[in-house]
Amino acid sequence: MAPAPDPSRRGAGDTTGRTVVFRDVRPFGAARPVDLTVVDGLISDRAAPPGAEVVDGGGRIALPTLVDAHIHPDKTTWGGPWESRRAAHSLEEFAAQDAELFRRQHRSVAERAYGLMAHAVSRGTRAMRAHADVAPAYGPAGVEGLAQARERLRHALDVQIVAFPQHGVVRAPGTARLLTDAARSGAVDLIGGIDPAGFDGAPEAQLDLVFDLADRYGVGLDLHLHERGAQGLTSLRRILDRTRALALHGRVTVSHVFCLAGLSDAELAAVAADLRELDVALTTVAPSGSLVLPIAALTGHGVRVGLGSDGVRDSWSPFGDADMLHRAHQLGRVRDDRLDAELTACYLTGAHGGADVLGLPRADLSPGSPADFLLVHGECVPQIVVDLPARDLVVRGGRVVARDGALV
């Protein structure tokens, strides 16, 4: 599995010996309310001792908090003035605009990222995999800024940091050294990559480098793959071959993977068999009906699939809000989901699918699971996915970390 966040960053000891009862809540929209007892940060099936702290749930629905499996907080302008964007038609043009926007910012990466990540917590996110651009245009600023934001939110949010070569590995001289420094120093949890053939133009060189770093320094890999059709499938095969050769089972994720959309059932099954064998995880940001991953088919074959926000109000797009309930809603919209089971599956992809990708235990409200949940007014899970109600309480390890849309 991918490296889970370091427990020392979570303030895990804060819940030791503490019992809290969340009274009158409806797990997953159950018809009859129950009391959820939390002991040492975990859901318990034991009776609460006299004098335990009590939080009134008021009949609200309790749902697992969500996991953002793919987000770029370092790029965001969240909380700042409006940025007018210019047309861009290629990865090169978008990457150049990233650098221009970075130079114009008066706020540091740490400040901007913290604002967005805190907002995500207030909307019910418990963990995220955060990609930080690593290129000569930025130096280590992105990685360092995300690390500072992560530290400020350690009580409420697990964060895995990816050193992401947005400008390419080979086409941007100096990037390889920055990636090596990030992996060697322990500053990041994973090393990234981007379209080794279609963008970098050097698939063997890029993949040899990043896989060598993962093998040498014990970090994971999370590789952007936007390439489509035969080119994308060839790049994916190169990734799978290196994963097998270096025995990096469970430590590799491929994000976007547009080349899998539109495959026949037989073609998808063949690829999924290798993904399952090597325990390679996938993520999607549900960009459109034609590019979203076939999640149900992939998970049916035993492949881990998570959902993410991608960029939020950055040079690529004015849209996004790091609200994973909104992203689950978008997943349902682009797939034209209508049935209750389909809409519920959207939520669970954002909750359990993301946890699986990040190597975290599922917060499924069962005894022994992390007491990480949110409370909302609603009828049932499908209605919540469609209507997007306010998150009244967000709970992390049995502690209320956000109330009525704000951190506490």
Side-chain angles (χ1 to χ4, degrees):
M1 301 290 285
D6 183 348
S8 67
R9 294 178 179 141
R10 299 181 53 182
D14 295 347
T15 58
T16 302
R18 187 167 182 267
T19 300
V20 186
V21 178
F22 290 84
R23 183 153 293 161
D24 191 23
V25 301
R26 298 163 51 216
F28 293 99
R32 301 185 64 175
V34 300
D35 294 347
L36 282 180
T37 300
V38 178
V39 178
D40 296 343
L42 304 176
I43 302 293
S44 175
D45 56 1
R46 304 202 306 263
E53 180 183 349
V54 175
V55 177
D56 183 11
R60 293 175 178 85
I61 292 179
L63 292 173
T65 41
L66 295 139
V67 176
D68 194 328
H70 188 102
I71 188 171
H72 294 265
D74 66 314
K75 298 177 185 283
T76 193
T77 64
W78 185 267
W82 179 258
E83 291 282 349
S84 297
R85 292 154 183 85
R86 303 193 312 274
H89 307 286
S90 65
L91 285 177
E92 294 93 333
E93 292 179 359
F94 278 115
Q97 290 189 23
D98 273 341
E100 292 174 18
L101 184 60
F102 175 80
R103 290 191 293 268
R104 291 201 306 271
Q105 293 303 301
H106 299 296
R107 297 178 299 150
S108 67
V109 172
E111 182 182 354
R112 290 183 284 113
Y114 172 79
L116 182 65
M117 292 158 67
H119 175 76
V121 170
S122 76
R123 271 32 178 196
T125 292
R126 71 175 177 119
M128 62 173 53
R129 181 171 287 175
H131 296 253
D133 281 7
V134 171
Y138 312 108
V143 169
E144 292 174 353
L146 292 191
Q148 291 173 44
R150 172 171 66 182
E151 180 62 23
R152 291 180 66 185
L153 289 164
R154 60 182 293 178
H155 66 289
L157 184 69
D158 281 334
V159 181
Q160 294 178 356
I161 298 177
V162 186
F164 171 50
Q166 176 72 80
H167 294 185
V169 175
V170 175
R171 67 181 291 149
T175 299
R177 177 182 57 78
L178 291 169
L179 292 174
T180 301
D181 290 346
R184 182 171 49 214
S185 69
V188 299
D189 304 286
L190 304 100
I191 295 294
I194 182 169
D195 295 351
F199 181 61
D200 224 2
E204 302 297 336
Q206 181 191 130
L207 294 176
D208 284 349
L209 172 73
V210 299
F211 271 86
D212 177 68
L213 292 177
D215 184 46
R216 188 185 311 174
Y217 297 111
V219 294
L221 288 170
D222 193 325
L223 311 169
H224 284 57
L225 187 61
H226 309 97
E227 298 167 3
R228 306 186 191 186
Q231 183 181 61
L233 289 171
T234 298
S235 290
L236 181 59
R237 178 55 58 193
R238 290 182 171 118
I239 291 167
L240 296 176
D241 288 346
R242 285 166 171 78
T243 303
R244 182 179 287 108
L246 294 173
L248 295 179
H249 300 60
R251 290 170 52 190
V252 178
T253 300
V254 189
S255 293
H256 304 304
V257 214
F258 295 156
C259 60
L260 295 185
L263 292 183
S264 69
D265 291 346
E267 291 169 329
L268 184 66
V271 176
D274 287 330
L275 293 169
R276 181 186 63 246
E277 174 204 342
L278 299 170
D279 196 15
V280 170
L282 308 178
T283 69
T284 184
V285 299
S288 67
S290 63
L291 293 177
V292 65
L293 287 176
I295 297 172
L298 287 163
T299 55
H301 286 294
V303 180
R304 294 180 288 138
V305 183
L307 182 65
S309 294
D310 208 11
V312 177
R313 204 166 296 183
D314 54 22
S315 65
W316 294 67
S317 173
F319 293 101
D321 58 7
D323 185 330
M324 282 300 295
L325 180 54
H326 285 189
R327 189 59 52 160
H329 174 100
Q330 178 172 318
L331 175 61
R333 288 292 294 271
V334 302
R335 298 195 311 195
D336 194 26
D337 289 342
R338 298 174 56 251
L339 306 181
D340 283 3
E342 294 171 335
L343 295 168
T344 299
C346 291
Y347 192 93
L348 295 180
T349 298
H352 299 338
D356 293 346
V357 170
L358 269 65
L360 298 171
R362 292 184 173 189
D364 60 9
L365 306 181
S366 65
S369 67
D372 298 346
F373 55 90
L374 54 88
L375 297 181
V376 297
H377 282 294
E379 297 178 54
C380 57
V381 178
Q383 175 262 325
I384 288 168
V385 170
V386 170
D387 287 347
L388 305 173
R391 279 25 67 85
D392 296 334
L393 291 178
V394 179
V395 178
R396 170 56 182 254
R399 291 185 180 274
V400 176
V401 293
R403 186 187 303 272
D404 298 328
L407 295 187
V408 297

